[in-house]
Amino acid sequence: MTISFDTTQILIGGRWRAAGNGETIDVINPSTGEEVCKIGRGSAQDIDDAVAAAEAALNGEWGKMSATERGRVLSNISVKIKENEDELAALESLDVGKPLKQARTDATAMARYLEFYGGSADKVMGHTIPYADGYTVYTLREPHGVTAHIVPWNYPMQIAGRCIGGALAMGNTCVLKPSEDACLSLLLFARIAEEAGLPKGVLNVVPGYGAEAGAALTAHTGVQHISFTGSVGVGKMVQKAAGENIVPVTLELGGKSPQIVFDDADIEAALPFLMGGGIHNAGQTCSAGTRIVAQRGIYEKLIAAMTERYEALEVGPASDDLDVGPLVSEKQKNTVNDYIKYGVDDGLTVAAEGYLTANCPEKGSYVKPTLFRDVPYQHKLAQEEIFGPVQVVIPFDTEDEAIKIANGTEYGLVTGVWTKDGGRQMRMAKAVKAGQIFINNFGAGGGVELPFGGIGKSGFGREKGFEALYGFSVLKTVATNHG
Ligand code: NAD
């Protein structure tokens, strides 16, 4: 495809320009292994400039806008995202290897985030509090000020949509540091936001490496809130940096989400979700339901049904729009293949694999989807986030055992429970440790309205839904003694 803008430019204070040091990062198409363009390599100086621009914007037109007007700007952005969905999806597909259909879903979801947060901007209210005689007490919800947004490569549009949307709804200004591996769609998003009427300096975008632009942003004393989505290792560094400056941080980290299938489950209804956990976005999803925890009575039937589907899975270039595209990079491909090899060498049984089509170029980052069966729940492949199209099936006998397995990792992001038994549905929802529990579904179609976040090593704080707006604002209590 021909890209319609200069991808090396970064956005600071409403001005597109080269990164300060003039350096760039190569963008590789994971479907072919070929370079497609370059992006700017933002430096600490660029971050300084971006934070200064975001500070200035707080005191300009944006700071004076009513919540309703802010909401209208966000709604306009949403409309323009929809108008540009084709280009956004094509860019994402080129950049990270997502099959086109899946990239389009992400563009639609980003538009929906802006629509939802546009509509909610003027609906966040404080309270009046009954207090002592002679007092009137009320609370206000105010913006933090300059907010930092660091996003990963797996869902750039969805993740930027949710955190930028929430932050803007509450009147903050933003500095966005996209992943060095996935930034093209977000550069276009920033251009769309400008066109939709977002005032200059409200959204600044500085692409670059995590250790450079990312670290400079999280350490910056001008930042009043950090929203980080990424790995546990980097999350720890971000939390330390936030601690140094005593600023609030939301950490949306990894997962190893279970889908628990009881004997009485509607297996036909469950199958698309069980499969989706492994193959959607080639398994590169924080909330991917990659641990299939299946009760003994349904176990063989489930393995047989998943085997049949795995063996039909086609892997190919993003533009072929098959079940599974390449992984985001050669590095990610090697990491995932190392996990598969480790499992096989350690004696695990491969139940089924998908296949690579003849169209897969040699230098693309393709991995065969792989389903392991009879995996002990303490095994490395059942404990660690693989971030590729690999699933493990773990058998269990009793409800208590299912709970122990579900809660038996250091993560707690999402859990799916498949059962027709109403009592069991309630017991499982309470017993399982995760930020979201889905009963007889998994993910509820993404639901931007649904608060999302982890416990344990999956992080803390909530994004998505109305709940996120509390995180993106500061509560102020006003107590007036009027006698
Ligand atoms: P990553 O942690 O390597 O990178 C995430 C972002 O952090 C990138 O923009 C990167 O440049 C930046 N970064 C790297 N080092 C930094 C530093 N020292 N200081 C500041 N920023 C730095 O993660 P990734 O590989 O891009 O993404 C995959 C991970 O993200 C997985 O663990 C996945 O589960 C997680 N994830 C979580 C959610 C969620 O909502 N919980 C959503 C998507 C992805």
Side-chain angles (χ1 to χ4, degrees):
M1 73 176 285
T2 315
I3 301 176
S4 65
F5 57 92
D6 180 351
T7 56
T8 61
Q9 306 242 297
I10 68 177
L11 175 63
I12 294 178
R15 200 164 73 80
W16 289 93
R17 63 158 171 84
N21 53 19
E23 289 186 41
T24 54
I25 300 171
D26 297 342
V27 175
I28 307 295
N29 176 354
S31 292
T32 62
E34 310 290 342
E35 182 185 324
V36 285
C37 63
K38 294 180 189 301
I39 53 168
R41 177 175 169 178
S43 63
Q45 181 59 56
D46 295 317
I47 291 292
D48 261 352
D49 296 345
V51 172
E55 253 161 21
L58 281 170
N59 301 318
E61 185 190 351
W62 183 247
K64 295 181 184 67
M65 253 186 215
S66 70
T68 308
E69 286 169 319
R70 276 203 313 270
R72 282 193 192 122
V73 175
L74 298 199
S75 304
N76 282 345
I77 300 175
S78 170
V79 170
K80 292 224 171 284
I81 291 172
K82 282 190 205 130
E83 287 168 11
N84 287 277
E85 253 180 24
D86 285 346
E87 192 177 351
L88 284 163
L91 278 175
E92 198 78 296
S93 202
L94 183 75
D95 205 0
V96 302
K98 268 179 216 261
L100 268 171
K101 241 188 283 122
Q102 297 182 24
R104 183 172 266 283
T105 307
D106 289 3
T108 308
M110 180 163 62
R112 176 72 189 119
Y113 277 112
L114 273 295
E115 182 184 37
F116 178 83
Y117 286 119
S120 58
D122 58 5
K123 292 165 192 71
V124 182
M125 295 169 201
H127 301 285
T128 53
I129 300 173
Y131 193 56
D133 187 35
Y135 277 82
T136 297
V137 182
Y138 58 94
T139 59
L140 298 171
R141 284 252 161 220
E142 298 183 339
H144 291 284
V146 177
T147 56
H149 302 263
I150 299 187
V151 304
W153 46 260
N154 61 341
Y155 289 92
M157 288 194 274
Q158 293 213 35
I159 293 167
R162 81 183 182 200
C163 60
I164 299 288
L168 292 181
M170 295 313 296
N172 299 284
T173 56
C174 304
V175 179
L176 170 64
K177 208 298 281 172
S179 165
E180 54 273 39
D181 288 323
C183 153
L184 301 182
S185 62
L186 297 185
L187 293 172
L188 179 57
F189 161 64
R191 288 171 188 269
I192 290 171
E194 272 185 316
E195 244 183 73
L198 191 68
K200 290 184 193 320
V202 174
L203 171 63
N204 305 275
V205 185
V206 184
Y209 289 116
E212 296 174 0
L217 181 57
T218 54
H220 204 290
T221 52
V223 166
Q224 279 100 34
H225 181 280
I226 302 172
S227 174
F228 173 79
T229 306
S231 61
V232 174
V234 177
K236 286 183 191 172
M237 291 192 254
V238 171
Q239 190 175 359
K240 276 189 195 143
E244 278 301 314
N245 293 332
I246 318 282
V247 294
V249 57
T250 301
L251 295 182
E252 296 281 5
L253 309 178
K256 190 74 183 175
S257 296
Q259 299 204 60
I260 306 164
V261 189
F262 284 93
D263 285 347
D264 67 342
D266 178 345
I267 195 169
E268 284 308 313
L271 273 166
F273 295 89
L274 301 178
M275 292 297 296
I279 62 160
H280 189 79
N281 208 31
Q284 304 164 113
T285 303
C286 55
S287 53
T290 52
R291 283 194 298 152
I292 311 295
V293 184
Q295 202 165 15
R296 208 72 72 166
I298 204 170
Y299 193 76
E300 290 304 333
K301 192 174 166 199
L302 184 73
I303 298 267
M306 288 190 75
T307 296
E308 192 187 329
R309 283 161 178 77
Y310 255 78
E311 286 174 351
L313 285 177
E314 293 185 309
V315 182
S319 52
D320 286 3
D321 215 2
L322 303 174
D323 305 304
V324 182
L327 302 197
V328 70
S329 61
E330 174 83 14
K331 182 170 159 244
Q332 190 65 14
K333 169 182 132 178
N334 293 337
T335 304
V336 174
N337 276 335
D338 285 351
Y339 270 108
I340 296 173
K341 182 170 182 317
Y342 180 89
V344 171
D345 291 350
D346 204 38
L348 293 185
T349 307
V350 173
E353 288 175 336
Y355 67 93
L356 309 193
T357 62
N359 254 357
C360 293
E362 182 105 359
K363 280 162 58 194
S365 312
Y366 301 96
V367 168
K368 271 191 208 164
T370 306
L371 180 71
F372 286 97
R373 60 170 293 167
D374 313 330
V375 180
Y377 86 92
Q378 306 94 328
H379 194 277
K380 181 180 162 88
L381 265 66
Q383 289 287 319
E384 296 181 12
E385 185 182 50
I386 298 174
F387 233 53
V390 179
Q391 286 179 295
V392 297
V393 192
I394 307 168
F396 74 91
D397 291 300
T398 65
E399 193 174 307
D400 282 349
E401 209 185 333
I403 294 166
K404 182 172 153 205
I405 294 170
N407 292 342
T409 73
E410 56 184 9
Y411 295 109
L413 199 53
V414 173
T415 295
V417 179
W418 295 89
T419 177
K420 293 185 189 124
D421 179 332
R424 174 178 284 152
Q425 293 171 0
M426 305 297 249
R427 288 192 298 277
M428 292 300 288
K430 286 190 178 170
V432 168
K433 294 184 174 33
Q436 287 188 329
I437 314 280
F438 294 100
I439 313 282
N440 292 331
N441 76 94
F442 194 83
V448 310
E449 306 84 349
L450 313 179
F452 177 80
I455 59 174
K457 293 266 169 41
S458 293
F460 56 80
R462 293 293 176 264
E463 293 210 359
K464 300 178 69 166
F466 208 79
E467 192 70 27
L469 299 175
Y470 301 127
F472 283 119
S473 59
V474 180
L475 187 77
K476 181 187 273 177
T477 305
V478 183
T480 307
N481 178 356
H482 42 68

